[in-house]
Amino acid sequence: MLEEETDPWRIILLAFLVFLGVSLVLGNSLDTDRVVLLDLKSSLEESNKVNRGHYSEWNLSSSNPCDWKGITCNYNRVTGVNLSGSSISGTLFLNFSNLTELSHLDLSSNTLGGQIPADLSHCNNLVYLNLSHNILDSELSLTGLSNLQTLDLSKNRIRGGIQTSVPAICNSLVVLNISENNLTGSIEDVFDQCDKLRYLDLSMNDFSGNIWIWFGRLQKFIIYDNYLNGNIPASSFTANCSLEVLDLSGNNFSGQFPGEISNCQDLIILHLWGNKFKGPIPPEIGSIASLEALFLGNNSFSRDIPESLLDLKNLDFLDLSRNNFGGEIQGTLGKFTQVKYLVLHTNSYTGGLYSSGILNLSNVVRLDLSFNNFSGPLPSEVSRMPSLKYLTLAYNQFNGSIPLEYGDFPHLQALDLSFNELTGTIPLSLGKLSSLLWLMLANNQFVGKIPPEIGNCSSLLWLNLANNKLSGNLPAELSNIGQNPIATFESNQQSGRIIPGSGECLMMKRWIPADYPPFRFVYDILSRKTCWSVWDQLLKGVWLFPICAHGTLVRTNQISGYVQLSGNKLSGEIPSDIGKMHNFSMLHLGVNNFSGKFPQEIGELPLMVLNISVNRFSGEIPREIGEIKRLQNLDLSSNNFSGTFPASLNDLTWLSKFNVSYNPLIYGVIYVTGQLAKFEKESFLGDPLLVIGSIPHRPLHPSANHTRSGTKKAPKLIIFPVIFALVLTFLAFGILSFIHFSSVKSSLCYR
Ligand SMILES: *[C@@H]1O[C@H](CO)[C@@H](O)[C@H](O)[C@H]1NC(C)=O
Ligand SMILES: *[C@@H]1O[C@H](CO)[C@@H](O)[C@H](O)[C@H]1NC(C)=O
Ligand SMILES: *[C@@H]1O[C@H](CO)[C@@H](O)[C@H](O)[C@H]1NC(C)=O
Ligand SMILES: *[C@@H]1O[C@H](CO)[C@@H](O)[C@H](O)[C@H]1NC(C)=O
Ligand SMILES: *[C@@H]1O[C@H](CO)[C@@H](O)[C@H](O)[C@H]1NC(C)=O
Ligand SMILES: *[C@@H]1O[C@H](CO)[C@@H](O)[C@H](O)[C@H]1NC(C)=O
Ligand SMILES: *[C@@H]1O[C@H](CO)[C@@H](O)[C@H](O)[C@H]1NC(C)=O
């Protein structure tokens, strides 16, 4: 018997043979792996002729694939391939299963499209598979992958149901992220056999039917923005509930929310926003000591707020918006001394600002009382809320004037009083608000001058005073706003991630106007995820889109703001100091009584929008406007400009909206070539001295009888598909990708 063979030489010989055999087998297999990887490389190079990732250096650096970038080995076999973010387009490689020891595959953040090939299902050793952030559009089928622990397919276009595909692979699954796809059907029994599952993200799909009731055993269960309905059964919250994040928001769940949620003693975020829950807010929630954020908005909860919630010592975020609460603000709310974000917008409150005591809450950073029925004078007491940064009182019926005390907030970053019935003058004390980023006073009845002191608001980038009755000159000092917002942004960067809000982008939508060109196309489809990351970026001063500063050829990534003063009675000349406003890309001065020459310094601003329509500007149109390389929207209509129409405006290759109508004294020629030839006659109404559609380099015949339509059709035919394609691109990529996209694809200011 072998056990009795004690001859040492035999043992050594045996060991040697085993070693030789093993290394021979392994050597061959690493060679096979190498061949497969080189196949992979050439197939990637085949479908990606330019802009290749680090795979193009494989084999050049070393012949051992274990040395190649993105490749991991174990026991001399290739076990991991990471090609995340390698600009790969095309379809998935068909031979991954030939890497027989492959356990980690990461192809995320590319533009891989088409099907998930059957071959991938033969990669039986896969433990980690990340195909997220691609454009895969097949159904989900990965049947053979029974060892998978992490599967991330988020942000693709995968469609169909998951009833059979998920149970087949969920034996060992711990993390499953299939959010942001087009998946449909029921989820009811799908995860019953997934005993190890801890993190499940199904958000932003089209799932319907009832909930999967055993979610209490997960750590994170995220299913926002689907079409799920029915009740949440009490039995879902078993005694051993281990949930930390439960996000059911944006579905159609109804009935009462079970108090058994208190079994989930580790819960940090409870997100019920945007469902049809009714009945009492469960008082049992008050026993979940770890709870930090409670979103109950956009439901039909009954009015009583249980006192037990006051025990939630860690509660930062309380959202009770859109619950039809009327009458006075509930007294309980004034006792949430721990809360930082108190969101009560879109109810029907008529009073209780003082009686509730909410104005004494010393930790509140954001107070949102917008879209209610408050009336009477603005509460001056808010200025004594020492932590307040964002105060939103818009869309109420507040009247009277702004209390002088509103200048006494050292940390205030946003003051939104728009759409009220406020009167009086803008207090010059607001000039003390050195951290202020947003000042929104639009659509009130303010009178008098814009105080020059506002120019001291060195962080102020977004100023909206539209549709009031302001008069007097534009003070030269105003051009000092927003000169140095860095300190404010830096303090926000230090404060970590801003807690995302409740699923609406009301503030964002009001504060970032739709006619702000980068947002124009995506405005209506701002999902709350993109909305809140944009919000987070704005507050931290991260650039959102590149701008063309004066005199540079390359676009820079700089934050930029707007000044919106339209619909007032402002008059006099625009001060030439306006040329200092290098942090602004949108200037709305329309429908006022401004007059005089428009300053040529305008050419120094990195503008995307310039609207000075319906004023009494005279003299020549500054030819320097032609130097604003990224100008997209230019409205000079209904003024009294005279002299020669500046040919330089033809250099504005990004111009997509243009109007010079009703400047009867303007004369000159609009040639059939150049950017301005794109625009229809509606852009040149009431300009009798302007000759439109002239062929360049011919003597000017003011009486020439050119027909516009003949010259205009050809360029329009080209423009339309281009705009259409652009719209589609924007819709497809979403706002953040757009921002990224625009920065990569066109970094030059010309063209
Ligand atoms: C896949 O591997 C087979 C051999 O196993 C080979 O014949 C085929 O060319 C490979 N295909 C690709 C795309 O590399
Ligand atoms: C998958 O890849 C994306 C993008 O590279 C990354 O953000 C994400 O964390 C990965 N998912 C998992 C579960 O590791
Ligand atoms: C799932 O993927 C999305 C998109 O990549 C990501 O934002 C989200 O945080 C992921 N979910 C979890 C629970 O990690
Ligand atoms: C949790 O409790 C339920 C019954 O209350 C039980 O069936 C289940 O096995 C328990 N789960 C764990 C992980 O202990
Ligand atoms: C310019 O502003 C006026 C008044 O606010 C508005 O009616 C007009 O549409 C704007 N023009 C453009 C091109 O956006
Ligand atoms: C327009 O400008 C001309 C001078 O260029 C001036 O004579 C005329 O009074 C102005 N019209 C109005 C309505 O301001
Ligand atoms: C330009 O402004 C005039 C006057 O407000 C308006 O009638 C016309 O429709 C506008 N043209 C375009 C292209 O918007």
Side-chain angles (χ1 to χ4, degrees):
M1 306 298 296
L2 205 64
E3 292 94 43
E4 264 116 60
E5 306 284 350
T6 50
D7 180 349
W9 286 110
R10 269 173 173 264
I11 293 175
I12 288 168
L13 184 66
L14 198 70
F16 178 73
L17 283 176
V18 167
F19 174 76
L20 199 72
V22 166
S23 50
L24 217 68
V25 169
L26 286 182
N28 274 343
S29 297
L30 186 62
D31 264 355
T32 325
D33 290 349
R34 184 169 172 277
V35 171
V36 178
L37 288 176
L38 289 175
D39 267 0
L40 169 61
K41 172 182 161 162
S42 60
S43 108
L44 290 174
E45 287 178 341
E46 184 60 29
S47 44
N48 296 274
K49 302 286 185 202
V50 288
N51 206 3
R52 289 171 176 162
H54 50 64
Y55 58 84
S56 60
E57 270 130 54
W58 290 355
N59 201 29
L60 302 177
S61 48
S62 153
S63 61
N64 182 355
C66 300
D67 296 338
W68 298 349
K69 204 162 175 213
I71 303 301
T72 8
C73 291
N74 210 354
Y75 297 108
N76 227 14
R77 291 297 310 272
V78 169
T79 54
V81 175
N82 182 351
L83 289 169
S84 165
S86 301
S87 315
I88 303 170
S89 53
T91 52
L92 278 167
F93 179 60
L94 294 174
N95 269 352
F96 277 116
S97 66
N98 288 355
L99 297 168
T100 52
E101 293 296 319
L102 190 66
S103 64
H104 282 69
L105 180 58
D106 189 345
L107 301 172
S108 62
S109 302
N110 287 296
T111 34
L112 290 162
Q115 308 272 326
I116 300 177
D119 170 76
L120 212 51
S121 290
H122 300 135
C123 299
N124 308 79
N125 288 317
L126 269 187
V127 168
Y128 177 97
L129 177 60
N130 194 341
L131 301 175
S132 69
H133 299 256
N134 278 292
I135 50 172
L136 298 169
D137 63 3
S138 59
E139 299 205 358
L140 177 58
S141 87
L142 289 165
T143 34
L145 304 184
S146 54
N147 292 311
L148 217 47
Q149 292 172 12
T150 301
L151 177 59
D152 191 344
L153 300 175
S154 62
K155 249 182 183 270
N156 277 286
R157 301 168 188 172
I158 302 171
R159 56 202 153 73
I162 59 171
Q163 283 99 326
T164 51
S165 46
V166 167
I169 53 167
C170 81
N171 249 355
S172 315
L173 216 50
V174 179
V175 178
L176 176 60
N177 191 343
I178 49 177
S179 72
E180 293 187 71
N181 280 289
N182 303 326
L183 294 162
T184 53
S186 162
I187 59 165
E188 221 171 323
D189 312 312
V190 170
F191 311 99
D192 286 359
Q193 268 89 56
C194 311
D195 289 329
K196 306 219 167 96
L197 202 58
R198 304 297 286 155
Y199 305 92
L200 180 55
D201 190 342
L202 310 178
S203 60
M204 297 175 80
N205 280 290
D206 300 325
F207 291 119
S208 54
N210 290 333
I211 200 165
W212 171 62
I213 62 170
W214 303 114
F215 61 83
R217 65 184 191 221
L218 303 176
Q219 212 163 313
K220 280 190 184 172
F221 184 50
I222 302 174
I223 55 167
Y224 67 81
D225 290 353
N226 279 287
Y227 299 99
L228 298 162
N229 57 31
N231 291 357
I232 305 298
S235 56
S236 287
F237 304 106
T238 51
N240 50 14
C241 169
S242 52
L243 283 169
E244 290 174 8
V245 177
L246 177 60
D247 190 340
L248 307 179
S249 61
N251 281 287
N252 291 317
F253 294 120
S254 54
Q256 296 203 9
F257 192 78
E260 283 76 3
I261 183 72
S262 60
N263 284 332
C264 310
Q265 282 292 317
D266 298 326
L267 200 63
I268 299 169
I269 297 177
L270 178 57
H271 212 321
L272 306 181
W273 184 91
N275 281 289
K276 294 178 180 148
F277 291 117
K278 58 178 198 280
I281 297 169
E284 293 87 344
I285 293 177
S287 73
I288 310 172
S290 50
L291 202 65
E292 292 176 15
L294 180 57
F295 299 93
L296 303 174
N298 203 355
N299 280 292
S300 301
F301 284 111
S302 49
R303 206 177 175 288
D304 295 321
I305 295 163
E307 295 263 335
S308 62
L309 299 191
L310 298 173
D311 298 338
L312 297 169
K313 291 287 168 269
N314 293 307
L315 194 68
D316 276 346
F317 207 122
L318 179 58
D319 180 348
L320 289 165
S321 62
R322 261 184 225 277
N323 267 288
N324 296 318
F325 296 153
E328 310 228 305
I329 296 176
Q330 296 91 325
T332 317
L333 288 176
K335 299 179 193 160
F336 279 97
T337 50
Q338 70 278 41
V339 163
K340 292 187 183 143
Y341 301 83
L342 186 57
V343 181
L344 302 175
H345 70 74
T346 329
N347 281 293
S348 307
Y349 291 122
T350 53
L353 279 176
Y354 301 93
S355 57
S356 67
I358 61 165
L359 303 182
N360 299 322
L361 295 174
S362 61
N363 284 314
V364 169
V365 171
R366 180 171 141 209
L367 180 61
D368 189 346
L369 301 175
S370 58
F371 295 93
N372 277 290
N373 292 323
F374 294 109
S375 54
L378 290 170
S380 59
E381 288 74 4
V382 285
S383 65
R384 284 190 244 134
M385 299 173 77
S387 309
L388 207 55
K389 284 187 184 169
Y390 314 103
L391 177 60
T392 309
L393 304 176
Y395 288 92
N396 281 287
Q397 287 109 50
F398 285 114
N399 53 31
S401 51
I402 302 180
L404 297 184
E405 292 87 342
Y406 277 34
D408 295 337
F409 288 104
H411 307 300
L412 200 66
Q413 295 187 15
L415 178 60
D416 187 354
L417 307 176
S418 46
F419 291 90
N420 276 290
E421 291 159 16
L422 299 167
T423 53
T425 56
I426 298 174
L428 47 91
S429 64
L430 295 191
K432 292 189 284 179
L433 298 171
S434 59
S435 303
L436 202 63
L437 296 168
W438 277 274
L439 179 58
M440 312 297 287
L441 304 179
N443 295 75
N444 281 288
Q445 311 279 331
F446 291 117
V447 295
K449 297 185 169 178
I450 299 176
E453 286 79 1
I454 298 293
N456 297 336
C457 298
S458 54
S459 296
L460 185 56
L461 280 172
W462 295 287
L463 173 65
N464 191 347
L465 306 178
N467 303 322
N468 280 289
K469 295 174 176 164
L470 298 168
S471 57
N473 291 351
L474 192 67
E477 292 84 348
L478 198 69
S479 51
N480 292 326
I481 61 171
Q483 294 286 353
N484 188 13
I486 304 297
T488 307
F489 289 139
E490 273 172 1
S491 81
N492 287 340
Q493 283 156 16
Q494 277 151 25
S495 64
R497 187 166 162 74
I498 286 115
I499 300 184
S502 42
E504 288 179 275
C505 302
L506 288 180
M507 273 193 317
M508 264 283 297
K509 285 189 174 170
R510 202 159 60 251
W511 294 357
I512 302 296
D515 52 1
Y516 212 32
F519 291 90
R520 195 183 299 141
F521 295 112
V522 279
Y523 194 68
D524 288 332
I525 57 154
L526 271 180
S527 74
R528 72 174 126 164
K529 206 182 211 169
T530 52
C531 152
W532 283 104
S533 41
V534 170
W535 179 233
D536 189 67
Q537 296 205 41
L538 275 178
L539 289 176
K540 292 179 176 170
V542 179
W543 58 278
L544 287 183
F545 46 86
I547 58 170
C548 286
H550 182 62
T552 59
L553 295 183
V554 180
R555 303 200 292 162
T556 49
N557 300 329
Q558 185 184 331
I559 195 116
S560 61
Y562 59 74
V563 172
Q564 166 55 287
L565 302 176
S566 65
N568 280 289
K569 296 174 174 167
L570 298 165
S571 58
E573 298 199 3
I574 302 296
S576 60
D577 291 24
I578 199 166
K580 292 194 296 193
M581 303 184 76
H582 296 303
N583 289 336
F584 291 81
S585 60
M586 180 162 130
L587 198 54
H588 268 285
L589 304 175
V591 199
N592 277 290
N593 288 323
F594 288 118
S595 57
K597 261 181 80 89
F598 198 78
Q600 62 188 49
E601 287 79 0
I602 192 70
E604 290 161 31
L605 270 55
L607 292 178
M608 293 187 175
V609 175
L610 176 62
N611 189 339
I612 58 173
S613 65
V614 197
N615 278 288
R616 294 190 292 119
F617 289 112
S618 56
E620 296 199 342
I621 296 172
R623 66 182 158 72
E624 289 79 3
I625 291 179
E627 291 165 16
I628 310 175
K629 293 306 167 204
R630 276 299 173 115
L631 198 60
Q632 298 183 23
N633 196 333
L634 175 61
D635 196 339
L636 307 168
S637 64
S638 302
N639 277 290
N640 191 21
F641 283 113
S642 57
T644 321
F645 182 86
S648 65
L649 299 195
N650 255 321
D651 300 341
L652 297 172
T653 47
W654 286 80
L655 208 56
S656 62
K657 280 193 184 178
F658 173 70
N659 203 343
V660 68
S661 299
Y662 302 109
N663 284 283
L665 304 179
I666 279 284
Y667 62 88
V669 183
I670 309 294
Y671 292 116
V672 289
T673 55
Q675 189 69 11
L676 296 179
K678 277 170 46 171
F679 298 100
E680 292 285 351
K681 64 175 182 300
E682 283 73 23
S683 297
F684 306 93
L685 302 172
D687 300 332
L689 306 179
L690 214 48
V691 179
I692 294 163
S694 188
I695 313 288
H697 310 305
R698 287 247 187 106
L700 167 62
H701 300 297
S703 59
N705 192 10
H706 286 288
T707 52
R708 294 187 50 76
S709 48
T711 53
K712 284 294 161 279
K713 278 210 172 87
K716 264 203 73 182
L717 280 177
I718 305 165
I719 292 314
F720 252 96
V722 169
I723 290 179
F724 186 66
L726 267 176
V727 171
L728 283 185
T729 314
F730 280 118
L731 291 177
F733 283 86
I735 187 162
L736 286 180
S737 336
F738 157 63
I739 288 155
H740 201 72
F741 173 83
S742 60
S743 71
V744 176
K745 295 283 183 222
S746 49
S747 56
L748 294 183
C749 290
Y750 295 82
R751 221 229 76 67

